[in-house]
Short mmCIF file of all heavy atoms in Angstrom, two decimals:
data_model
loop_
_atom_site.label_atom_id
_atom_site.label_comp_id
_atom_site.label_asym_id
_atom_site.label_seq_id
_atom_site.Cartn_x
_atom_site.Cartn_y
_atom_site.Cartn_z
N MET A 1 0.83 -1.23 0.05
CA MET A 1 -0.01 0.01 -0.01
C MET A 1 0.88 1.28 -0.01
O MET A 1 0.60 2.19 -0.72
CB MET A 1 -0.94 -0.01 1.23
CG MET A 1 -1.94 1.06 1.21
SD MET A 1 -3.29 0.72 0.25
CE MET A 1 -4.55 1.54 1.10
N LEU A 2 1.97 1.28 0.82
CA LEU A 2 2.85 2.37 0.90
C LEU A 2 3.54 2.58 -0.50
O LEU A 2 3.76 3.71 -0.90
CB LEU A 2 3.90 2.21 1.94
CG LEU A 2 4.86 3.39 2.15
CD1 LEU A 2 4.15 4.61 2.51
CD2 LEU A 2 5.81 3.01 3.24
N ALA A 3 3.93 1.55 -1.15
CA ALA A 3 4.60 1.60 -2.49
C ALA A 3 3.63 2.12 -3.58
O ALA A 3 3.96 2.94 -4.45
CB ALA A 3 5.24 0.29 -2.82
N GLN A 4 2.45 1.61 -3.56
CA GLN A 4 1.52 1.82 -4.72
C GLN A 4 0.54 2.95 -4.38
O GLN A 4 0.28 3.80 -5.38
CB GLN A 4 0.62 0.56 -4.99
CG GLN A 4 1.42 -0.59 -5.45
CD GLN A 4 0.60 -1.76 -5.68
OE1 GLN A 4 -0.60 -1.78 -5.33
NE2 GLN A 4 1.18 -2.76 -6.29
N LYS A 5 -0.05 3.09 -3.18
CA LYS A 5 -1.03 4.16 -2.91
C LYS A 5 -0.78 4.85 -1.63
O LYS A 5 -1.52 4.68 -0.59
CB LYS A 5 -2.47 3.61 -2.91
CG LYS A 5 -2.81 2.94 -4.24
CD LYS A 5 -4.21 2.31 -4.03
CE LYS A 5 -4.63 1.59 -5.27
NZ LYS A 5 -5.87 0.89 -5.16
N PRO A 6 0.35 5.65 -1.49
CA PRO A 6 0.66 6.24 -0.22
C PRO A 6 -0.36 7.34 0.23
O PRO A 6 -0.57 7.53 1.39
CB PRO A 6 2.07 6.94 -0.46
CG PRO A 6 2.06 7.05 -1.92
CD PRO A 6 1.34 5.91 -2.53
N VAL A 7 -0.98 7.92 -0.80
CA VAL A 7 -2.04 8.98 -0.41
C VAL A 7 -3.20 8.28 0.25
O VAL A 7 -3.71 8.77 1.28
CB VAL A 7 -2.46 9.73 -1.75
CG1 VAL A 7 -3.63 10.58 -1.51
CG2 VAL A 7 -1.25 10.46 -2.33
N LYS A 8 -3.68 7.11 -0.30
CA LYS A 8 -4.84 6.39 0.33
C LYS A 8 -4.48 5.99 1.71
O LYS A 8 -5.29 5.95 2.64
CB LYS A 8 -5.19 5.18 -0.51
CG LYS A 8 -5.83 5.65 -1.85
CD LYS A 8 -7.32 5.44 -1.74
CE LYS A 8 -7.91 5.63 -3.11
NZ LYS A 8 -9.25 5.90 -2.99
N MET A 9 -3.22 5.60 1.93
CA MET A 9 -2.75 5.13 3.26
C MET A 9 -2.85 6.19 4.30
O MET A 9 -3.39 5.97 5.37
CB MET A 9 -1.32 4.64 3.12
CG MET A 9 -0.83 3.89 4.24
SD MET A 9 0.72 3.14 3.79
CE MET A 9 1.23 2.43 5.36
N VAL A 10 -2.39 7.42 4.00
CA VAL A 10 -2.50 8.53 4.87
C VAL A 10 -3.97 8.93 5.09
O VAL A 10 -4.40 9.16 6.21
CB VAL A 10 -1.65 9.76 4.41
CG1 VAL A 10 -1.84 11.02 5.26
CG2 VAL A 10 -0.16 9.40 4.25
N GLU A 11 -4.69 9.03 4.04
CA GLU A 11 -6.21 9.36 4.17
C GLU A 11 -6.83 8.35 5.03
O GLU A 11 -7.74 8.70 5.89
CB GLU A 11 -6.74 9.39 2.79
CG GLU A 11 -6.33 10.67 2.05
CD GLU A 11 -6.91 10.68 0.58
OE1 GLU A 11 -7.48 9.63 0.10
OE2 GLU A 11 -6.84 11.74 -0.10
N HIS A 12 -6.60 7.13 4.90
CA HIS A 12 -7.23 6.03 5.70
C HIS A 12 -6.91 6.24 7.13
O HIS A 12 -7.82 6.08 8.02
CB HIS A 12 -6.75 4.72 5.14
CG HIS A 12 -7.47 3.54 5.81
ND1 HIS A 12 -6.98 2.96 7.01
CD2 HIS A 12 -8.56 2.84 5.54
CE1 HIS A 12 -7.75 2.00 7.38
NE2 HIS A 12 -8.69 1.90 6.53
N ALA A 13 -5.70 6.56 7.48
CA ALA A 13 -5.24 6.67 8.85
C ALA A 13 -5.91 7.92 9.52
O ALA A 13 -6.42 7.85 10.66
CB ALA A 13 -3.72 6.83 8.93
N VAL A 14 -5.95 9.01 8.74
CA VAL A 14 -6.70 10.24 9.28
C VAL A 14 -8.16 10.07 9.45
O VAL A 14 -8.73 10.45 10.38
CB VAL A 14 -6.38 11.43 8.36
CG1 VAL A 14 -7.11 12.70 8.85
CG2 VAL A 14 -4.90 11.75 8.44
N LYS A 15 -8.80 9.43 8.39
CA LYS A 15 -10.23 9.30 8.40
C LYS A 15 -10.71 8.47 9.68
O LYS A 15 -11.77 8.77 10.21
CB LYS A 15 -10.72 8.58 7.07
CG LYS A 15 -12.18 8.70 6.92
CD LYS A 15 -12.60 8.24 5.47
CE LYS A 15 -13.92 8.59 5.23
NZ LYS A 15 -14.29 8.16 3.80
N GLY A 16 -9.90 7.51 10.06
CA GLY A 16 -10.30 6.69 11.22
C GLY A 16 -10.20 7.51 12.50
O GLY A 16 -10.81 7.10 13.53
N MET A 17 -9.51 8.63 12.51
CA MET A 17 -9.37 9.38 13.74
C MET A 17 -10.36 10.64 13.74
O MET A 17 -10.37 11.38 14.74
CB MET A 17 -7.93 9.97 13.85
CG MET A 17 -6.95 8.88 13.88
SD MET A 17 -5.26 9.62 14.02
CE MET A 17 -4.29 8.06 14.04
N LEU A 18 -11.09 10.80 12.74
CA LEU A 18 -12.08 11.91 12.75
C LEU A 18 -13.51 11.36 13.21
O LEU A 18 -13.70 10.22 13.15
CB LEU A 18 -12.22 12.47 11.30
CG LEU A 18 -11.03 13.16 10.83
CD1 LEU A 18 -11.23 13.60 9.34
CD2 LEU A 18 -10.71 14.45 11.57
N PRO A 19 -14.39 12.34 13.63
CA PRO A 19 -15.66 11.86 13.94
C PRO A 19 -16.41 11.18 12.85
O PRO A 19 -16.19 11.57 11.67
CB PRO A 19 -16.46 13.14 14.34
CG PRO A 19 -15.42 14.16 14.50
CD PRO A 19 -14.21 13.74 13.75
N LYS A 20 -17.29 10.26 13.15
CA LYS A 20 -18.07 9.65 12.06
C LYS A 20 -19.32 10.37 11.84
O LYS A 20 -19.88 11.07 12.78
CB LYS A 20 -18.54 8.18 12.51
CG LYS A 20 -17.39 7.28 13.05
CD LYS A 20 -16.09 7.46 12.21
CE LYS A 20 -15.00 6.52 12.72
NZ LYS A 20 -13.86 7.21 13.22
N GLY A 21 -19.84 10.47 10.60
CA GLY A 21 -21.12 11.24 10.34
C GLY A 21 -20.83 12.42 9.45
O GLY A 21 -19.69 12.61 8.96
N PRO A 22 -21.84 13.32 9.36
CA PRO A 22 -21.68 14.45 8.46
C PRO A 22 -20.61 15.45 8.85
O PRO A 22 -19.90 15.93 7.98
CB PRO A 22 -23.07 15.14 8.53
CG PRO A 22 -23.97 14.11 9.07
CD PRO A 22 -23.16 13.13 9.84
N LEU A 23 -20.40 15.65 10.12
CA LEU A 23 -19.36 16.58 10.55
C LEU A 23 -18.00 16.04 10.19
O LEU A 23 -17.07 16.78 9.75
CB LEU A 23 -19.50 16.78 12.05
CG LEU A 23 -18.48 17.77 12.70
CD1 LEU A 23 -18.65 19.19 12.11
CD2 LEU A 23 -18.52 17.76 14.15
N GLY A 24 -17.73 14.78 10.37
CA GLY A 24 -16.45 14.14 10.03
C GLY A 24 -16.13 14.22 8.50
O GLY A 24 -15.13 14.38 8.04
N ARG A 25 -17.20 14.13 7.70
CA ARG A 25 -17.12 14.14 6.27
C ARG A 25 -16.68 15.59 5.86
O ARG A 25 -15.94 15.72 4.90
CB ARG A 25 -18.38 13.72 5.55
CG ARG A 25 -18.50 12.15 5.68
CD ARG A 25 -19.61 11.62 4.80
NE ARG A 25 -20.93 12.01 5.23
CZ ARG A 25 -21.69 11.37 6.11
NH1 ARG A 25 -21.20 10.25 6.75
NH2 ARG A 25 -22.83 11.70 6.48
N VAL A 26 -17.24 16.59 6.53
CA VAL A 26 -16.87 17.98 6.23
C VAL A 26 -15.46 18.16 6.55
O VAL A 26 -14.72 18.82 5.80
CB VAL A 26 -17.80 19.01 7.04
CG1 VAL A 26 -17.23 20.37 6.95
CG2 VAL A 26 -19.19 18.90 6.51
N MET A 27 -14.97 17.74 7.65
CA MET A 27 -13.59 17.79 8.09
C MET A 27 -12.68 17.09 7.14
O MET A 27 -11.61 17.62 6.75
CB MET A 27 -13.39 17.30 9.48
CG MET A 27 -14.11 18.05 10.57
SD MET A 27 -13.93 17.22 12.15
CE MET A 27 -14.88 18.28 13.21
N PHE A 28 -13.02 15.92 6.72
CA PHE A 28 -12.23 15.16 5.79
C PHE A 28 -12.04 15.78 4.47
O PHE A 28 -10.92 15.65 3.89
CB PHE A 28 -12.79 13.72 5.68
CG PHE A 28 -11.88 12.78 4.84
CD1 PHE A 28 -10.69 12.30 5.37
CD2 PHE A 28 -12.21 12.41 3.60
CE1 PHE A 28 -9.87 11.54 4.73
CE2 PHE A 28 -11.44 11.54 2.92
CZ PHE A 28 -10.23 11.11 3.48
N ARG A 29 -13.03 16.51 3.97
CA ARG A 29 -12.90 17.16 2.70
C ARG A 29 -11.86 18.32 2.76
O ARG A 29 -11.40 18.74 1.70
CB ARG A 29 -14.20 17.78 2.27
CG ARG A 29 -15.19 16.75 1.70
CD ARG A 29 -16.36 17.41 0.96
NE ARG A 29 -17.23 18.11 1.86
CZ ARG A 29 -18.37 17.55 2.38
NH1 ARG A 29 -18.71 16.30 2.14
NH2 ARG A 29 -19.14 18.25 3.20
N ARG A 30 -11.48 18.76 3.91
CA ARG A 30 -10.47 19.81 4.07
C ARG A 30 -9.03 19.24 3.97
O ARG A 30 -8.10 19.99 4.15
CB ARG A 30 -10.68 20.60 5.35
CG ARG A 30 -11.97 21.35 5.32
CD ARG A 30 -12.13 22.09 6.63
NE ARG A 30 -13.39 22.96 6.59
CZ ARG A 30 -13.74 23.67 7.51
NH1 ARG A 30 -13.13 23.66 8.68
NH2 ARG A 30 -14.83 24.40 7.45
N LEU A 31 -8.87 17.89 3.90
CA LEU A 31 -7.59 17.29 3.79
C LEU A 31 -7.14 17.11 2.35
O LEU A 31 -7.88 16.53 1.53
CB LEU A 31 -7.60 15.90 4.50
CG LEU A 31 -6.39 15.03 4.49
CD1 LEU A 31 -5.21 15.73 5.20
CD2 LEU A 31 -6.64 13.76 5.03
N LYS A 32 -5.97 17.59 2.12
CA LYS A 32 -5.40 17.44 0.70
C LYS A 32 -4.00 16.73 0.85
O LYS A 32 -3.15 17.27 1.54
CB LYS A 32 -5.13 18.77 0.00
CG LYS A 32 -6.27 19.74 0.16
CD LYS A 32 -7.47 19.37 -0.56
CE LYS A 32 -8.55 20.32 -0.45
NZ LYS A 32 -9.89 19.92 -0.79
N VAL A 33 -3.92 15.60 0.31
CA VAL A 33 -2.68 14.71 0.51
C VAL A 33 -1.97 14.54 -0.92
O VAL A 33 -2.68 14.23 -1.85
CB VAL A 33 -2.96 13.36 1.03
CG1 VAL A 33 -1.68 12.55 1.36
CG2 VAL A 33 -3.76 13.51 2.38
N TYR A 34 -0.64 14.72 -0.94
CA TYR A 34 0.11 14.56 -2.21
C TYR A 34 1.27 13.67 -1.87
O TYR A 34 1.96 13.84 -0.88
CB TYR A 34 0.51 15.91 -2.67
CG TYR A 34 -0.72 16.83 -3.01
CD1 TYR A 34 -1.12 17.74 -2.13
CD2 TYR A 34 -1.38 16.62 -4.23
CE1 TYR A 34 -2.32 18.54 -2.31
CE2 TYR A 34 -2.51 17.36 -4.50
CZ TYR A 34 -2.92 18.37 -3.50
OH TYR A 34 -4.08 19.07 -3.79
N ALA A 35 1.58 12.87 -2.86
CA ALA A 35 2.76 11.89 -2.70
C ALA A 35 4.09 12.60 -2.72
O ALA A 35 5.00 12.18 -2.01
CB ALA A 35 2.62 10.81 -3.73
N GLY A 36 4.20 13.54 -3.55
CA GLY A 36 5.47 14.16 -3.79
C GLY A 36 5.60 15.55 -3.00
O GLY A 36 4.58 15.96 -2.26
N PRO A 37 6.67 16.31 -3.24
CA PRO A 37 6.81 17.59 -2.52
C PRO A 37 6.04 18.77 -3.14
O PRO A 37 6.01 19.81 -2.57
CB PRO A 37 8.35 17.84 -2.66
CG PRO A 37 8.78 17.12 -3.82
CD PRO A 37 7.84 15.92 -4.01
N GLN A 38 5.37 18.59 -4.38
CA GLN A 38 4.78 19.64 -5.04
C GLN A 38 3.26 19.60 -4.64
O GLN A 38 2.63 18.49 -4.49
CB GLN A 38 4.87 19.50 -6.47
CG GLN A 38 6.30 19.44 -7.00
CD GLN A 38 6.98 20.81 -6.70
OE1 GLN A 38 6.42 21.80 -6.69
NE2 GLN A 38 8.29 20.63 -6.45
N HIS A 39 2.58 20.81 -4.56
CA HIS A 39 1.16 20.88 -4.27
C HIS A 39 0.63 22.07 -4.92
O HIS A 39 1.31 23.10 -5.14
CB HIS A 39 0.82 20.83 -2.83
CG HIS A 39 1.31 22.03 -2.07
ND1 HIS A 39 0.61 23.22 -1.93
CD2 HIS A 39 2.55 22.32 -1.43
CE1 HIS A 39 1.29 24.06 -1.25
NE2 HIS A 39 2.48 23.56 -0.94
N PRO A 40 -0.66 22.14 -5.40
CA PRO A 40 -1.18 23.28 -6.13
C PRO A 40 -1.87 24.29 -5.22
O PRO A 40 -2.67 24.98 -5.69
CB PRO A 40 -2.24 22.62 -7.02
CG PRO A 40 -2.79 21.44 -6.27
CD PRO A 40 -1.55 20.90 -5.48
N HIS A 41 -1.53 24.30 -3.98
CA HIS A 41 -2.21 25.22 -2.93
C HIS A 41 -1.30 26.35 -2.50
O HIS A 41 -1.46 26.82 -1.38
CB HIS A 41 -2.73 24.43 -1.80
CG HIS A 41 -3.61 23.31 -2.14
ND1 HIS A 41 -4.92 23.54 -2.60
CD2 HIS A 41 -3.44 21.94 -2.22
CE1 HIS A 41 -5.51 22.36 -2.92
NE2 HIS A 41 -4.59 21.40 -2.71
N ALA A 42 -0.41 26.76 -3.34
CA ALA A 42 0.56 27.83 -2.96
C ALA A 42 -0.17 29.18 -2.75
O ALA A 42 0.19 29.98 -1.94
CB ALA A 42 1.66 27.95 -3.95
N ALA A 43 -1.21 29.36 -3.50
CA ALA A 43 -2.01 30.61 -3.47
C ALA A 43 -2.64 30.85 -2.08
O ALA A 43 -2.96 31.94 -1.75
CB ALA A 43 -3.05 30.74 -4.59
N GLN A 44 -2.99 29.73 -1.45
CA GLN A 44 -3.65 29.85 -0.10
C GLN A 44 -2.62 30.13 0.99
O GLN A 44 -2.98 30.45 2.11
CB GLN A 44 -4.32 28.49 0.22
CG GLN A 44 -5.68 28.32 -0.39
CD GLN A 44 -5.50 27.98 -1.93
OE1 GLN A 44 -4.48 27.49 -2.36
NE2 GLN A 44 -6.58 28.22 -2.65
N LYS A 45 -1.33 30.11 0.70
CA LYS A 45 -0.21 30.53 1.60
C LYS A 45 -0.34 29.71 2.93
O LYS A 45 -0.54 30.17 4.01
CB LYS A 45 -0.24 31.97 1.93
CG LYS A 45 0.03 32.83 0.73
CD LYS A 45 -0.02 34.32 1.06
CE LYS A 45 0.15 35.05 -0.20
NZ LYS A 45 -0.35 36.45 -0.15
#
């Protein structure tokens, strides 16, 4: 999993630590995970 889908691995670990239900889904949508050092959120500083 770490070799093929590291993003899914991190998301799975975080999702299990968030509240279950609509509130947890809102929180999870605020998570952006990238395998490499580049990300498209530089404008948000």
Side-chain angles (χ1 to χ4, degrees):
M1 186 82 150
L2 183 60
Q4 292 178 354
K5 300 177 183 177
V7 171
K8 290 261 187 198
M9 193 171 174
V10 172
E11 287 176 349
H12 184 272
V14 173
K15 193 171 193 176
M17 297 181 184
L18 291 176
K20 308 322 180 242
L23 182 64
R25 289 190 288 274
V26 168
M27 292 174 184
F28 186 70
R29 280 194 292 266
R30 293 180 177 177
L31 174 65
K32 315 292 181 196
V33 183
Y34 299 97
Q38 303 298 325
H39 65 88
H41 304 287
Q44 282 75 23
K45 298 179 183 156

